[in-house]
Amino acid sequence: MPVSDPAAEAVGPLVRGLAVLRAVTAAGGRRSAGDLVRDTGLARSTVDRVLSTLERLEYVRIDGRDAVLAPPVMELGNAYLAASRLPALLGPAADRLADALDESVSIAVPDGDGARFVHQAPRRRAMSVAFGVGDLLPAECGAMGALLAVDWTEADWARWRERRAADPDLRGFPVAPPGAAGAAASFTERVAAARRTGWALDDQLIEPGLVALALPVRGPAGRACAVSVVSHTSRHTAGSLRDAMLPRLRETVAEMERIWAEDEARSGGAEREPTGTAERARESKLALGPEFLQSLARGLGVLAAFDGHRPEPTLAVLAQATGLPRATVRRCLLTLAHLGYVTVRDGRFRPAPRVLDLGFAPLNGLTLPRIARPHLARLVDRVRDSASMAVLDGDDIRYVARVPTVRIMSVEITVGTRFPAYATSMGRALLAGLPEPERAGRLARAELRPLTRRTVTSPERLAALLDRIAHDGYALVEEELEEGLRSIAVPVRDRDGRVVAAVNVSSHAGRRSAEEALAAVLPPLREAAVAIERDLHVAGRFVRVPVG
Ligand code: PHB
């Protein structure tokens, strides 16, 4: 790509939008517009327009004065993780190693003078720090940085020294624990040792009690990452961890290097589904006018269009995928490359790990209840009755999120409340989603007691009801758990289509007929479930999202 002056050709609103997104991320995922003005040096009106645009894209929610990162923003980081191919290629071997050793295993890639986590297989953790996908550790902290620094040039070392001088307390690394700054003193020695031995140890460099052993994984075209086994001094000293784990970790690395090399040979492939970026940006511009920065939306759309099918697309492929003119895509890519979010090689583009600084890392610990809460709140605003989310827990349902209005039950329901699954709408929606043999097994086992005059206690009738619910996609329960109480529930499915939770709206049974209630409640309830699922599927693509 012929470039005269990248800064002069850069897309201004994209540059400014990325700065705002980075600042919200650096602040941990929540920041007021006033603070963002100070962080970025941008005018208040510019910050407001950027936030309107990001809100329209559903990348942030506005909560009072604050902009709060929302799960859809994770599609940017997902685009990097998919295009890098590392989680898909090496993640399964890391997961198997974690299972075999019963210790945490993580994978990190070099990112500037740091190590960026791209995969985590967590196990029992006695540590207070727990890193997640997207987190960035300074290279001098931990075992992986020392390995990655083996490949550093003199310019890389100079950059590291400059950063050390400018940021001795690691303020630029929000997840680095306070004590970690001391690790710098031994860094060059540890890099030299890693060069000699081919492995590196973290003997409580990051945190007392935390020990880790890391090995490099070398890929095609000079790419590299590091894989580490993390343990605790209650189980291992650094030395015993190395002696116990090194042979097994070496086997895993050999397997990873083989898989990585084979993949590169096979790369290429499928056409990209159109992403609809161009149409959506046009529609939003029409709807919001000057408050919507179309070129910011387009630039983010170009970034989100990277995926795993074509890890290194050309400009033409990205133009086809986004529906944007080539000249527009070219200027976006130029801007993204200038800022370090994209690398260019032989006319092919690849997102860089730095993309994970655009909203991903603060959301890597999301849970399903946290994802659900704003959607349940919106639902309650619409239907004016309480809404909840529950999961199956043994033969019970357990509430994991609740947005109440008036209290209509004799018992107060809070997060953690349990009811027998068979007598509740959420329980039935959950049971109906189980594979047939498991559903039958549970019905045969469950003790079906009448809780009101209307509770269905016949296993045959219940089985027929569950079939019906599976077919209709919702459950309606009238006064079977408590007199006067009606509840309507729908399932929430994960990326693989498994029912992982249910959401409901509960109301007085006497206020209107069941048909009227269904007509009023079911459409907004379904919309809420779809919105929760959409967020869950984005958030859960590369990170495990706990259900409760
Ligand atoms: C981790 O995955 O939490 C980890 C990895 C390497 C370290 C320290 C922690 O050196």
Side-chain angles (χ1 to χ4, degrees):
M1 196 163 56
V3 178
S4 41
D5 177 2
E9 277 209 73
V11 182
L14 178 55
V15 174
R16 296 188 276 277
L18 293 167
V20 168
L21 208 40
R22 256 182 91 89
V24 181
T25 307
R30 174 184 280 271
R31 197 77 167 153
S32 73
D35 285 335
L36 289 169
V37 167
R38 272 187 294 283
D39 296 340
T40 60
L42 295 170
R44 174 63 191 243
S45 57
T46 305
V47 167
D48 285 342
R49 275 203 292 274
V50 166
L51 291 179
S52 299
T53 306
L54 295 175
E55 188 187 17
R56 175 83 183 184
L57 297 171
E58 298 182 60
Y59 283 4
V60 302
R61 278 194 198 101
I62 305 301
D63 178 19
R65 289 160 183 249
D66 292 343
V68 185
L69 292 173
V73 77
M74 294 177 88
E75 73 181 10
L76 299 175
N78 284 347
Y80 159 72
L81 292 166
S84 97
R85 309 259 314 128
L86 290 182
L89 290 173
L90 312 186
D95 295 347
R96 283 195 296 277
L97 183 64
D99 282 341
L101 304 176
D102 196 21
E103 299 283 5
S104 301
V105 173
S106 33
I107 302 176
V109 296
D111 184 2
D113 60 4
R116 176 86 70 174
F117 288 87
V118 295
H119 184 79
Q120 276 286 29
R123 280 299 168 282
R124 47 181 184 177
R125 284 205 179 240
M127 279 83 69
S128 60
V129 292
F131 302 112
V133 173
D135 286 338
L136 179 68
L137 274 183
E140 65 270 26
C141 297
M144 299 196 277
L147 284 172
L148 298 173
V150 164
D151 297 332
W152 280 5
T153 61
E154 200 34 60
D156 293 324
W157 280 103
R159 178 178 53 180
W160 177 73
R161 280 189 296 268
E162 255 169 57
R163 190 261 290 160
R164 290 277 314 145
D167 182 14
D169 303 323
L170 303 176
R171 287 183 210 286
F173 298 85
V175 298
S186 60
F187 185 47
T188 48
E189 246 168 69
R190 283 183 287 118
V191 176
R195 184 176 294 117
R196 236 179 14 253
T197 59
W199 45 262
L201 276 180
D202 172 352
D203 188 358
Q204 309 181 66
L205 289 163
I206 295 183
E207 184 177 82
L210 190 161
V211 286
L213 167 69
L215 251 64
V217 185
R218 307 235 162 243
R223 294 173 73 202
C225 64
V227 57
S228 53
V229 177
V230 189
S231 186
H232 191 261
T233 45
S234 59
R235 297 190 291 282
H236 279 290
T237 64
S240 79
L241 181 73
R242 179 201 52 214
D243 295 344
M245 307 288 178
L246 196 52
R248 188 71 178 74
L249 189 53
R250 280 199 168 121
E251 279 172 29
T252 296
V253 166
E255 180 191 351
M256 287 176 165
E257 290 185 340
R258 199 177 56 245
I259 294 169
W260 201 353
E262 282 169 8
D263 178 71
E264 201 76 3
R266 251 189 274 120
S267 260
E271 278 289 303
R272 180 74 166 86
E273 287 278 308
T275 60
T277 298
E279 294 86 337
R280 268 202 313 278
R282 244 191 327 268
E283 280 163 22
S284 297
K285 186 70 192 168
L286 282 173
L288 294 190
E291 287 307 295
F292 186 78
L293 302 172
Q294 194 165 203
S295 42
L296 170 56
R298 288 168 168 168
L300 294 173
V302 168
L303 200 47
F306 284 95
D307 71 357
H309 299 304
R310 284 191 183 245
E312 287 194 277
T314 58
L315 203 160
V317 167
L318 287 167
Q320 179 263 329
T322 55
L324 293 168
R326 285 174 66 122
T328 304
V329 175
R330 177 177 170 279
R331 288 189 66 210
C332 289
L333 287 168
L334 217 56
T335 307
L336 292 166
H338 178 60
L339 297 174
Y341 295 108
V342 160
T343 58
V344 196
R345 200 183 60 180
D346 303 330
R348 293 181 167 272
F349 300 88
R350 195 187 267 280
R354 188 181 169 86
V355 172
L356 291 165
D357 270 342
L358 301 174
F360 195 95
L363 298 178
N364 64 17
L366 266 185
T367 61
L368 184 56
R370 262 184 66 200
I371 289 175
R373 223 165 284 133
H375 298 293
L376 294 180
R378 205 167 307 141
L379 175 62
V380 168
D381 273 347
R382 290 177 70 184
V383 300
R384 311 245 155 239
D385 277 315
S386 306
S388 306
M389 173 181 270
V391 297
L392 214 46
D393 191 344
D395 288 333
D396 290 337
I397 58 164
R398 178 167 47 82
Y399 280 72
V400 294
R402 177 160 174 86
V403 179
T405 54
V406 287
R407 208 177 118 184
I408 51 170
M409 295 216 36
S410 57
V411 291
E412 190 183 350
I413 301 177
T414 56
V415 167
T417 297
R418 306 168 73 100
F419 290 124
Y422 68 89
T424 61
S425 65
M426 288 196 280
R428 289 189 188 162
L430 286 158
L431 292 170
L434 293 173
E436 184 50 48
E438 195 184 340
R439 200 204 284 176
R442 276 168 181 269
L443 281 187
R445 207 176 55 221
E447 194 192 326
L448 307 175
R449 285 180 297 112
L451 304 173
T452 69
R453 292 173 288 122
R454 301 185 56 165
T455 313
V456 173
T457 54
S458 135
E460 295 74 31
R461 267 192 70 203
L462 210 49
L465 278 174
L466 295 183
D467 282 341
R468 181 78 214 221
I469 291 162
H471 175 268
D472 293 345
Y474 73 88
L476 168 74
V477 170
E478 293 258 313
E479 304 190 86
E480 294 189 48
L481 179 70
E482 181 169 328
E483 305 283 349
L485 186 76
R486 169 187 293 144
S487 166
I488 304 171
V490 297
V492 174
R493 293 174 190 276
D494 69 8
R495 289 177 63 84
D496 301 322
R498 271 189 304 258
V499 175
V500 290
V503 287
N504 86 331
V505 168
S506 54
S507 54
H508 276 297
R511 221 168 57 207
R512 54 189 173 192
S513 73
E515 291 69 38
E516 284 166 340
L518 267 183
V521 168
L522 194 53
L525 177 60
R526 281 192 159 137
E527 277 172 36
V530 167
I532 292 167
E533 284 177 346
R534 215 184 315 122
D535 281 1
L536 173 63
H537 299 174
V538 175
R541 187 163 171 203
F542 291 103
V543 177
R544 211 182 58 82
V545 179
V547 294

